């Protein structure tokens, strides 16, 4: 019996508070798992220094974003700190249909919408080793005013309340270990019976 390729890709949803180091963990993960497609979101927030249109985000105006909402072009979207963020439905659907795993880096409101629409997705929340460490990391970035940092910490507390709705909790103490845990989760998910029935069909 030969092992047949799975037919549909796995949708992977990753959330975590600002300052947890999600982007670094994602870079490490994508470096090791080049077969995963990272979904580039649409946002109305202006690009930060070093960010590229079409790479980090698709940067669009509020008007364009609202047209996408009206045209039902988004799998999910949320308003986060006065800006819209959303995931294109078309691209995600094409990749999953082609058997490609897709990774979404989205906040908790968007993740809740995906959970309602795609119950087979795997939901992973990343936390720092402690809340004190999150505060230290946000201060270390030194790019924000104290007031902004306090706002992010308040937001993080709210986001933590959603953790029980996630399937897995990963602690980002060391980046390579956090990425390793996510890879282990993805291996386990791919071994689920429901994801492997095509191997034994027709026996
Ligand atoms: P930032 O502005 O720091 O890049 O992102 C702010 C928050 O928006 C992060 O928590 C990030 O995960 C989330 N985010 C990025 N893209 C999307 C998206 O397409 N949908 C939703 N709901 N959240 C997103």
């Amino acid at each position: 019996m030969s092992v047949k390729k799975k037919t549909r890709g796995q949708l992977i949803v990753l959330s975590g508070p600002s300052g947890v180091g999600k982007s670094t963990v994602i870079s490490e993960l994508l470096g090791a798992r080049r077969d995963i497609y990272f979904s580039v979101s649409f946002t109305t927030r202006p690009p930060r220094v070093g960010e590229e249109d079409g790479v980090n985000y698709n940067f669009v105006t509020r008007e364009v974003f609202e047209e996408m909402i009206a045209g039902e072009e988004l799998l999910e979207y949320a308003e986060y700190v006065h800006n819209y963020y959303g995931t294109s439905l078309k691209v995600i659907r094409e990749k999953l249909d082609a058997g490609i795993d897709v990774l979404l880096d989205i906040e908790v409101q968007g993740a809740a919408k995906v959970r309602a629409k795609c119950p087979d997705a795997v939901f992973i929340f990343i936390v720092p080793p402690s809340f004190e460490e999150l505060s230290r990391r946000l201060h270390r970035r030194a790019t924000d005013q104290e007031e902004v940092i306090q706002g992010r910490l308040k937001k993080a507390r709210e986001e933590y309340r959603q953790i029980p709705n996630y399937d897995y909790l990963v602690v980002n103490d060391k980046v390579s270990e956090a990425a390793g845990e996510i890879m282990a989760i993805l291996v386990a998910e791919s071994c689920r019976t429901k994801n492997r029935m095509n191997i034994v069909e027709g026996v």
Side-chain angles (χ1 to χ4, degrees):
M1 185 183 69
S2 66
V3 175
K4 287 185 235 159
K5 198 180 175 304
K6 64 178 179 172
T7 47
R8 250 184 101 64
Q10 172 73 56
L11 185 59
I12 308 146
V13 176
L14 218 61
S15 301
S18 171
V20 74
K22 235 179 332 163
S23 319
T24 321
V25 173
I26 289 174
S27 299
E28 178 103 1
L29 173 68
L30 296 179
R33 283 282 314 268
R34 293 183 180 274
D35 56 319
I36 296 177
Y37 173 80
F38 177 69
S39 162
V40 179
S41 297
F42 286 78
T43 185
T44 57
R45 90 149 159 72
R48 294 191 187 121
V49 177
E51 283 184 336
E52 256 183 85
D53 189 30
V55 176
N56 306 92
Y57 282 103
N58 295 299
F59 295 98
V60 295
T61 60
R62 249 186 128 76
E63 196 182 14
V64 167
F65 200 100
E66 282 168 358
E67 276 166 18
M68 293 177 78
I69 299 173
E72 299 186 352
E73 292 173 40
L74 300 170
L75 167 66
E76 63 73 38
Y77 72 92
E79 208 161 357
Y80 181 90
V81 201
H82 317 302
N83 282 300
Y84 279 130
Y85 293 82
T87 307
S88 158
L89 179 59
K90 184 169 174 278
V91 180
I92 304 304
R93 195 182 275 153
E94 280 169 7
K95 298 290 176 191
L96 293 175
D97 287 349
I100 298 167
D101 295 342
V102 174
L103 175 65
L104 309 184
D105 164 4
I106 62 177
E107 50 67 67
V108 295
Q109 305 166 66
K113 290 184 193 162
V114 177
R115 197 172 296 112
K117 287 187 183 170
C118 315
D120 285 343
V122 54
F123 294 86
I124 306 171
F125 198 94
I126 309 189
V127 288
S130 67
F131 214 80
E132 292 67 37
E133 176 58 19
L134 182 65
S135 173
R136 267 195 295 279
R137 288 182 193 179
L138 284 170
H139 281 95
R140 216 180 295 141
R141 285 213 292 216
T143 46
D144 298 314
Q145 304 282 336
E146 185 57 30
E147 199 182 303
V148 174
I149 295 176
Q150 289 310 321
R152 295 220 164 122
L153 289 170
K154 183 167 174 272
K155 186 102 194 152
R157 274 202 188 85
E158 289 164 21
E159 290 169 335
Y160 269 42
R161 286 192 212 116
Q162 301 302 318
I163 291 176
N165 296 324
Y166 284 73
D167 302 311
Y168 295 96
L169 187 61
V170 166
V171 179
N172 182 23
D173 189 359
K174 290 208 175 75
V175 171
S176 58
E177 285 173 16
E181 284 190 356
I182 296 173
M183 281 187 265
I185 293 166
L186 299 183
V187 170
E189 286 294 314
S190 72
C191 295
R192 275 189 191 273
T193 309
K194 70 177 168 61
N195 291 333
R196 288 199 144 171
M197 281 313 287
N198 62 324
I199 296 170
V200 290
E201 265 161 20
V203 172

